[in-house]
């Protein structure tokens, strides 16, 4: 399953940079120390730039402009969130009840382009999932695949899902596609923090700060955040969380206002970002109070 591949590389023998999800080859070492390069998307670049001047700036990687490599490929240069940690544990949680854009849905209805790669991804997770027609064609429409993943995982109910976890020096796991039940999710969160109450408290504090900052943020008020993640990073001394991946974050049409917490109905642009954040907060509170 190509998009779930991962790579680990050694940066001049200093430390390993680890990419949990996304396509391999999207990231490279940055030009500056403590920075990495991510393949340029103009939409994401725009978000990174706006966020540097928003009150959310301490919750996103620092952005250092774009660069072009020898082959003419363009990248955004951003802060490597792992660089200040020692043998960190890392978790990527995709936030939101919806993981595709309304425009993708419109496009797919106007001009359906079923994909073989998505059919293959689907049967790798559950061979019984495709319909008869999909099995005949060996192809699947993107929104159908995305909605299926939301329902299979906790995205639909909890407004977030664990995409991948890497324990310090341990193995990387991406086998969370079917983690849906609240208790199961909690079990994985507890395991991720190695049952440490002080660490759960550090994460909880960061989450509540993030929530209150989101509510006051101009960026948050004017954007729909789809497919964005929270990156959890801790080592033995610190536990922090950042917002990453703004490839599918979009400026809302000027006549549309969203709450980020009402369920999505087509046309509303609601993303469920605060549903996910609130459930994460509740889960960490439960872990601490248990
Ligand atoms: P996808 O859209 O499939 O999720 P992507 O190509 O948009 O992938 P991201 O989601 O932005 O890529 O990042 C993929 C992974 O790379 C993250 O899960 C994380 O492990 C790592 N990563 C991304 N940004 C940073 C950063 N600033 N510092 C450290 N690690 C990062
Ligand atoms: Mg991502
Ligand atoms: Mg992305």
């Amino acid at each position: 399953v190509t998009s779930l591949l991962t790579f680990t590389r050694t940066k001049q023998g200093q430390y390993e940079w680890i990419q949990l999800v996304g396509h391999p080859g999207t990231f490279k070492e940055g030009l500056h120390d403590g920075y990495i390069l991510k393949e340029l998307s103009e939409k994401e670049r725009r978000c990174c730039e706006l966020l540097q001047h928003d009150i959310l700036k301490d919750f996103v990687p620092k952005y250092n402009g774009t660069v072009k490599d020898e082959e003419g490929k363009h990248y955004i240069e951003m802060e490597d969130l792992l660089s200040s940690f020692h043998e960190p544990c890392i978790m990527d949680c995709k936030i939101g009840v919806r993981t595709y854009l309304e425009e993708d849905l419109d496009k797919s209805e106007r001009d359906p382009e079923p994909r073989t790669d998505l059919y293959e991804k689907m049967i790798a997770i559950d061979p019984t999932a495709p319909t008869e027609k999909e099995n005949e064609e060996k192809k699947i429409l993107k929104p159908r695949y995305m909605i299926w993943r939301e329902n299979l995982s906790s995205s639909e109910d909890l407004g977030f899902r664990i995409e991948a976890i890497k324990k310090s020096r341990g193995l990387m796991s991406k086998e969370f596609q079917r983690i849906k039940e609240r208790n199961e999710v909690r079990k994985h969160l507890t395991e991720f923090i190695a049952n440490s109450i002080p660490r759960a408290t550090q994460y909880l504090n960061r989450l509540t700060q993030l929530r209150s900052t989101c509510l006051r943020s101009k960026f948050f008020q004017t954007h729909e955040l789809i497919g964005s993640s929270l990156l959890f990073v801790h080592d033995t001394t610190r536990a922090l969380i950042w917002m990453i991946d703004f490839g599918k974050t979009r400026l809302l049409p000027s006549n549309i206002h969203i709450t980020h917490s009402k369920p999505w109905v087509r046309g509303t642009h609601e993303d469920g970002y605060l549903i996910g954040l609130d459930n994460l907060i509740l889960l960490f509170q439960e872990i601490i109070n248990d």
Side-chain angles (χ1 to χ4, degrees), residues 135-235:
N135 275 324
E136 261 163 44
E137 291 188 352
K138 300 207 182 317
K139 285 180 179 172
I140 291 209
L141 289 168
K142 176 127 187 246
R144 145 91 170 124
Y145 174 77
M146 303 297 262
I147 293 165
W148 175 73
R149 287 286 309 274
E150 289 161 13
N151 178 264
L152 194 70
S153 70
S154 57
S155 290
E156 193 176 283
D157 299 333
L158 300 182
F160 80 92
R161 69 173 179 242
I162 301 173
E163 289 268 289
I165 289 181
K166 163 81 172 66
K167 302 277 195 52
S168 166
R169 291 195 240 172
L171 281 175
M172 152 103 60
S173 176
K174 289 149 285 146
E175 302 299 307
F176 300 102
Q177 295 99 338
R178 289 160 166 282
I179 306 300
K180 182 180 179 70
E181 298 305 322
R182 187 185 181 84
N183 284 340
E184 245 184 309
V185 174
R186 196 173 111 180
K187 191 192 87 191
H188 285 288
L189 294 178
T190 311
E191 231 172 80
F192 171 64
I193 59 161
N195 233 326
S196 155
I197 301 298
R199 187 168 295 139
T201 309
Q202 287 176 314
Y203 275 138
L204 176 62
N205 289 341
R206 181 76 169 168
L207 286 168
T208 53
Q209 284 159 14
L210 172 62
R211 188 184 195 284
S212 70
T213 310
C214 279
L215 294 182
R216 290 180 293 122
S217 157
K218 178 84 192 300
F219 183 89
F220 195 73
Q221 283 159 20
T222 52
H223 287 76
E224 165 185 7
L225 289 91
I226 302 297
S228 180
S229 283
L230 289 180
L231 193 69
F232 290 66
V233 188
H234 68 256
D235 59 17

Side-chain angles (χ1 to χ4, degrees), residues 11-235:
K11 226 177 173 185
Q12 289 131 23
Q14 291 171 338
Y15 72 101
E16 291 178 313
W17 188 79
I18 297 140
Q19 179 186 343
L20 294 188
V21 298
H23 295 272
T26 308
F27 287 89
K28 298 213 302 189
E29 198 170 329
L31 300 185
H32 302 88
D33 233 25
Y35 280 78
I36 52 173
L37 303 179
K38 179 178 178 182
E39 214 170 63
L40 173 73
S41 116
E42 182 46 40
K43 297 238 160 57
E44 182 162 37
R45 189 203 62 74
R46 187 190 150 276
C47 292
C48 292
E49 191 152 325
L50 283 175
L51 282 161
Q52 297 305 298
H53 308 287
D54 189 90
I55 52 171
L56 279 170
K57 71 172 192 305
D58 295 335
F59 293 91
V60 297
K62 290 195 187 73
Y63 166 67
N64 203 26
T66 62
V67 297
K68 192 166 117 181
D69 72 4
E70 319 77 52
E71 287 140 42
K73 226 165 115 177
H74 293 262
Y75 296 83
I76 53 178
E77 188 172 36
M78 63 173 153
E79 183 188 358
D80 174 2
L81 301 169
L82 308 181
S83 70
S84 69
F85 287 84
H86 180 65
E87 296 180 348
C89 296
I90 318 161
M91 173 169 70
D92 181 306
C93 286
K94 189 164 276 201
I95 311 295
V97 291
R98 178 165 55 95
T99 55
Y100 53 89
L101 291 162
E102 292 191 11
E103 66 190 53
D104 295 338
L105 211 53
D106 297 340
K107 187 177 172 295
S108 173
E109 285 168 359
R110 232 179 17 245
D111 171 25
E113 280 173 36
R115 283 164 52 177
T116 312
D117 61 323
L118 297 181
Y119 175 81
E120 276 157 14
K121 280 189 190 182
M122 183 183 263
I123 57 170
I125 300 171
D126 181 359
T128 70
T131 63
E132 222 169 278
K133 180 165 173 276
E134 287 163 347
N135 275 324
E136 261 163 44
E137 291 188 352
K138 300 207 182 317
K139 285 180 179 172
I140 291 209
L141 289 168
K142 176 127 187 246
R144 145 91 170 124
Y145 174 77
M146 303 297 262
I147 293 165
W148 175 73
R149 287 286 309 274
E150 289 161 13
N151 178 264
L152 194 70
S153 70
S154 57
S155 290
E156 193 176 283
D157 299 333
L158 300 182
F160 80 92
R161 69 173 179 242
I162 301 173
E163 289 268 289
I165 289 181
K166 163 81 172 66
K167 302 277 195 52
S168 166
R169 291 195 240 172
L171 281 175
M172 152 103 60
S173 176
K174 289 149 285 146
E175 302 299 307
F176 300 102
Q177 295 99 338
R178 289 160 166 282
I179 306 300
K180 182 180 179 70
E181 298 305 322
R182 187 185 181 84
N183 284 340
E184 245 184 309
V185 174
R186 196 173 111 180
K187 191 192 87 191
H188 285 288
L189 294 178
T190 311
E191 231 172 80
F192 171 64
I193 59 161
N195 233 326
S196 155
I197 301 298
R199 187 168 295 139
T201 309
Q202 287 176 314
Y203 275 138
L204 176 62
N205 289 341
R206 181 76 169 168
L207 286 168
T208 53
Q209 284 159 14
L210 172 62
R211 188 184 195 284
S212 70
T213 310
C214 279
L215 294 182
R216 290 180 293 122
S217 157
K218 178 84 192 300
F219 183 89
F220 195 73
Q221 283 159 20
T222 52
H223 287 76
E224 165 185 7
L225 289 91
I226 302 297
S228 180
S229 283
L230 289 180
L231 193 69
F232 290 66
V233 188
H234 68 256
D235 59 17

Side-chain angles (χ1 to χ4, degrees), residues 250-261:
R250 294 288 182 276
L251 179 67
L252 286 161
S254 58
N255 58 331
I256 295 218
H257 171 77
I258 65 171
T259 61
H260 299 280
S261 51

